[in-house]
Amino acid sequence: MLFCESFETTTTANDIYIKIKHYLDANKIPKENLLACAADGAPAMMGKNTGCLKMMKDENPNMLTVHCVIHRENLVAKKLSPVLNKILQSVIKCVNSIKRNSKSERLFKQFCINQSAEHVRLLLHTEVRWLSSGNCLKRFMELFDQITTFLVINVK
């Protein structure tokens, strides 16, 4: 990431372009030094005729523009097969049942410590970050035995 700056009013392609151009000029960074830029696919960024990246590419034709890999993964995740989606939803439901209140989470942590588990916390899945699904599933599987035992004990 080059820099982070907030917008006062609008966030049009031109507004974004002006902020980037001002930053580059203020820091004496030649536009030719920008080799590549990734964006999330929003029209203000990726628009073919008036997008920010189009304006930047007009000034620096050698700059590579790409769609962000993480956003592409998120788009793929939305098309997840029904079977895998059902499994993911079941894992999320199970994790949320343990993390739904602080007492349950503390009890699970203590249970994992007593069981000498590799980890003592479950990870939440967030819709915003697709990669969190992989981390959530991995941790779930690493603690699978502890989770099943904990849920059996606490359901009774």
Side-chain angles (χ1 to χ4, degrees), residues 87 91 94-95 108 118-119 121-123 133-148:
I87 292 168
V91 168
C94 185
V95 169
F108 181 73
E118 184 178 348
H119 304 286
R121 290 229 159 105
L122 291 168
L123 300 176
S133 298
N135 294 335
C136 177
L137 288 169
K138 182 179 179 191
R139 180 65 59 88
F140 183 86
M141 290 311 299
E142 290 170 350
L143 291 171
F144 186 78
D145 293 336
Q146 287 81 11
I147 292 169
T148 53

Side-chain angles (χ1 to χ4, degrees), residues 18-67:
I18 289 170
K19 287 266 189 193
I20 293 171
K21 187 173 168 129
H22 179 263
Y23 178 85
L24 295 174
D25 292 342
N27 290 285
K28 298 181 177 101
I29 301 172
K31 291 169 191 69
E32 297 76 34
N33 284 6
L34 295 179
L35 301 176
C37 188
D40 63 357
M45 289 301 293
M46 302 289 285
K48 288 182 181 180
N49 299 321
T50 59
C52 176
L53 295 183
K54 165 74 166 91
M55 289 185 247
M56 291 173 64
K57 196 157 175 82
D58 287 345
E59 287 194 35
N60 181 8
N62 294 325
M63 184 178 73
L64 176 67
T65 59
V66 294
H67 194 280

Side-chain angles (χ1 to χ4, degrees), residues 3-135:
F3 71 101
C4 182
E5 195 171 317
S6 53
F7 291 91
E8 294 76 31
T9 54
T10 59
T11 57
T12 64
N14 196 50
D15 295 330
I16 298 167
Y17 175 73
I18 289 170
K19 287 266 189 193
I20 293 171
K21 187 173 168 129
H22 179 263
Y23 178 85
L24 295 174
D25 292 342
N27 290 285
K28 298 181 177 101
I29 301 172
K31 291 169 191 69
E32 297 76 34
N33 284 6
L34 295 179
L35 301 176
C37 188
D40 63 357
M45 289 301 293
M46 302 289 285
K48 288 182 181 180
N49 299 321
T50 59
C52 176
L53 295 183
K54 165 74 166 91
M55 289 185 247
M56 291 173 64
K57 196 157 175 82
D58 287 345
E59 287 194 35
N60 181 8
N62 294 325
M63 184 178 73
L64 176 67
T65 59
V66 294
H67 194 280
C68 178
V69 171
I70 294 172
H71 284 91
R72 284 195 183 267
E73 284 185 9
N74 191 18
L75 293 173
V76 169
K78 288 180 181 178
K79 303 290 185 198
L80 195 62
S81 75
V83 174
L84 291 176
N85 190 46
K86 188 174 180 180
I87 292 168
L88 178 61
Q89 294 309 313
S90 297
V91 168
I92 291 168
K93 185 176 178 181
C94 185
V95 169
N96 288 345
S97 73
I98 293 172
K99 293 183 77 69
R100 75 175 157 239
N101 65 48
S102 55
K103 180 181 178 186
S104 177
E105 191 169 9
R106 282 193 310 271
L107 288 172
F108 181 73
K109 180 181 178 181
Q110 192 58 51
F111 181 77
C112 289
I113 290 169
N114 293 343
Q115 296 284 313
S116 301
E118 184 178 348
H119 304 286
V120 296
R121 290 229 159 105
L122 291 168
L123 300 176
L124 283 173
H125 161 70
T126 61
E127 291 294 326
V128 178
R129 303 203 180 275
W130 165 243
L131 294 177
S132 72
S133 298
N135 294 335

